[in-house]
């Protein structure tokens, strides 16, 4: 009994799942079946056969419709499978193409990275070699500097904002060669001590100008510690406006130059580049009339654009000014021979 009940419940559940059209068709077939059974029981054989024929025809029609529907579903499934297969194949082709593209791009990037690393390695080796050579030159220059002098106090550091040992070495060589009586230095510091030691031997004197009062005081203290205050003087010369050919510049106060005549050697190592554009350009315009008839001009940091422009302008403006061949360092050396027509003194 329990089995029959389960079967009945399953049948009832399936009947509830039928659509309205399916339920109508099953009801009609059931009615025809009951009619055929009733006609047979009442001995109406003809009616029973007719109803049975209709029932069979209906079953065949339903079966045919079912077959057609199943066929349509199969065809739809096959079409869906073909579409899915086509989509999958397209996706596979795209994926393979993308992977191949990335592989090629990765290979190119790897080759580019390898070239970059190799180039950087070569540059690093070259830079290291150049740095080692530069350090060797500076060490050799420093040794030569100390061979010529015995400092009476610790020497200040060279390099950075101060002159490099190679620049100092050639500067002292020029002092030894030309024996200047008066050296004017624009910008005081380490070089002031070395120049003063050299002038102490030759009997010359040094006048240094500095726009920074604190830095000037430190240089005075250094000179005093080395016993060179009688050879070198550091003057405070704050930056003030100076007009050259209608253009204003910030340069040392020219009042601090009033007593200077016959400058044999001029070292242009200031003002610093940070004080303004063309910071060192006014030097020759302000001091040309105060140079001796034969003088030497040394300008530091001659590799910079501003100093290069100043050098080009000076050699075109001042007759008798020409650039000499430098031996060492990053400075430029010019020789000056006074001409018959001096340049105008700037205001």
């Amino acid at each position: 009994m329990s089995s029959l009940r389960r079967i009945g419940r399953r049948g009832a559940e399936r009947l509830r799942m039928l659509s309205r059209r399916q339920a109508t068709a099953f009801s009609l077939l059931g009615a025809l079946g009951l009619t055929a059974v009733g006609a047979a029981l009442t001995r109406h054989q003809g009616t029973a056969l007719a109803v049975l024929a209709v029932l069979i025809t209906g079953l065949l029609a339903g079966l045919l419709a079912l077959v057609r529907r199943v066929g349509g579903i199969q065809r739809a499934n096959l079409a869906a499978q073909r579409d899915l297969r086509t989509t999958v194949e397209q996706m596979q082709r795209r994926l393979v193409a993308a992977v191949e593209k990335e592989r090629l791009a990765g290979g190119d990037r790897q080759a580019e990275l390898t070239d970059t690393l190799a180039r950087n390695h070569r540059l690093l080796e070259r830079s290291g070699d150049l740095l080692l050579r530069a350090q060797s030159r500076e060490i050799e220059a420093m040794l030569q500097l100390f061979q010529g002098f015995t400092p009476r106090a610790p020497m200040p550091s060279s390099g950075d904002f101060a002159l490099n040992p190679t620049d100092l070495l050639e500067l002292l060589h020029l002092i030894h060669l030309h024996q200047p009586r008066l050296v004017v230095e624009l910008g005081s510091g380490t070089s002031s001590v070395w120049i003063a030691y050299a002038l102490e031997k030759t009997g010359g004197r040094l006048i240094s100008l500095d726009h920074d009062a604190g830095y000037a005081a430190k240089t005075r203290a250094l000179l005093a510690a080395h016993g060179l205050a009688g050879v070198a003087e550091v003057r405070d010369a704050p930056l003030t406006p100076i007009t050259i050919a209608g253009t204003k510049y910030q340069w040392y106060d020219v009042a601090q130059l009033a007593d200077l005549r016959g400058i044999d050697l001029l070292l242009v190592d200031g003002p610093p580049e940070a004080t303004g554009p063309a910071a060192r350009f006014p030097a020759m315009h302000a001091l040309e009339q105060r140079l001796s008839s034969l003088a030497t001009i040394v300008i530091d940091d001659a590799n910079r654009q501003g100093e290069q422009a100043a050098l080009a302008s000076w050699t075109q403006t001042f007759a008798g000014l020409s650039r000499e061949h430098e031996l060492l360092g990053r400075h430029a050396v010019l020789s000056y021979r006074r001409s018959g027509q001096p340049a105008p003194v700037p205001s």
Side-chain angles (χ1 to χ4, degrees), residues 49-63:
L49 290 174
V51 173
L52 185 59
V54 172
L55 179 60
I56 292 172
T57 302
L59 289 173
L60 291 174
L63 182 61

Side-chain angles (χ1 to χ4, degrees), residues 70-346:
V70 171
I73 293 173
Q74 289 179 344
R75 287 191 296 274
N77 287 337
L78 290 175
Q81 290 176 0
R82 286 194 300 271
D83 293 341
L84 180 61
R85 188 181 300 110
T86 301
T87 302
V88 171
E89 290 175 353
Q90 291 176 350
M91 291 179 64
Q92 287 177 341
R93 286 195 294 270
R94 292 175 182 174
L95 181 61
V96 170
V99 170
E100 182 66 15
K101 182 179 180 181
E102 287 298 321
R103 187 184 68 81
L104 294 175
D108 293 340
R109 285 194 294 269
Q110 183 178 2
E112 183 180 354
L113 180 60
T114 302
D115 293 341
T116 302
L117 290 175
R119 185 166 56 253
N120 290 339
H121 181 67
R122 290 193 298 270
L123 289 174
L124 184 61
E125 285 185 342
R126 182 180 177 184
S127 299
D129 185 54
L130 291 175
L131 179 60
L132 183 60
R133 292 181 183 180
Q135 288 177 338
S136 299
R137 284 195 300 270
E138 299 302 330
I139 292 172
E140 291 170 359
M142 184 61 72
L143 291 175
Q144 294 181 64
L145 285 171
F146 279 100
Q147 285 176 354
F149 303 97
T150 302
R152 293 185 284 268
M155 292 295 288
S157 299
S158 60
D160 199 9
F161 291 110
L163 291 178
N164 289 334
T166 49
D167 293 284
L168 285 170
L169 185 62
E170 182 163 6
L171 178 62
L172 299 192
H173 172 70
L174 291 172
I175 292 174
H176 174 73
L177 185 65
H178 296 293
Q179 302 282 306
R181 304 301 300 171
L182 175 61
V183 177
V184 171
E185 178 188 32
L186 304 179
S188 68
T190 299
S191 55
S192 306
V193 180
W194 285 103
I195 294 171
Y197 268 116
L199 293 176
E200 187 180 43
K201 286 187 173 184
T202 62
R205 71 185 182 108
L206 169 68
I207 303 295
S208 293
L209 302 184
D210 206 306
H211 74 288
D212 188 322
Y215 206 82
K218 290 181 180 179
T219 304
R220 290 191 196 99
L222 280 172
L223 292 169
H226 286 268
L228 296 169
V231 179
E233 175 189 353
V234 181
R235 298 181 180 181
D236 293 322
L239 300 183
T240 58
I242 182 172
T243 302
I244 300 171
T247 301
K248 286 188 176 181
Y249 300 87
Q250 291 293 314
W251 201 72
Y252 299 107
D253 184 5
V254 293
Q256 299 299 322
L257 307 171
D259 62 326
L260 298 182
R261 293 290 186 277
I263 300 171
D264 298 309
L265 191 149
L266 173 63
L267 172 59
V268 184
D269 194 20
E273 186 181 29
T275 60
R280 299 176 182 178
F281 172 75
M284 274 299 296
H285 294 270
L287 291 171
E288 190 264 345
Q289 287 299 297
R290 304 181 188 280
L291 297 175
S292 61
S293 57
L294 294 174
T296 302
I297 298 94
V298 178
I299 179 170
D300 190 31
D301 303 310
N303 56 324
R304 298 192 311 206
Q305 185 175 358
E307 279 70 8
Q308 287 288 337
L311 287 169
S313 176
W314 290 351
T315 53
Q316 292 176 3
T317 303
F318 299 98
L321 185 66
S322 60
R323 186 165 180 176
E324 299 295 323
H325 177 69
E326 298 83 28
L327 297 177
L328 302 169
R330 61 188 181 187
H331 57 269
V333 179
L334 302 99
S335 62
Y336 174 75
R337 182 183 297 274
R338 187 174 303 282
S339 63
Q341 296 184 358
V345 177

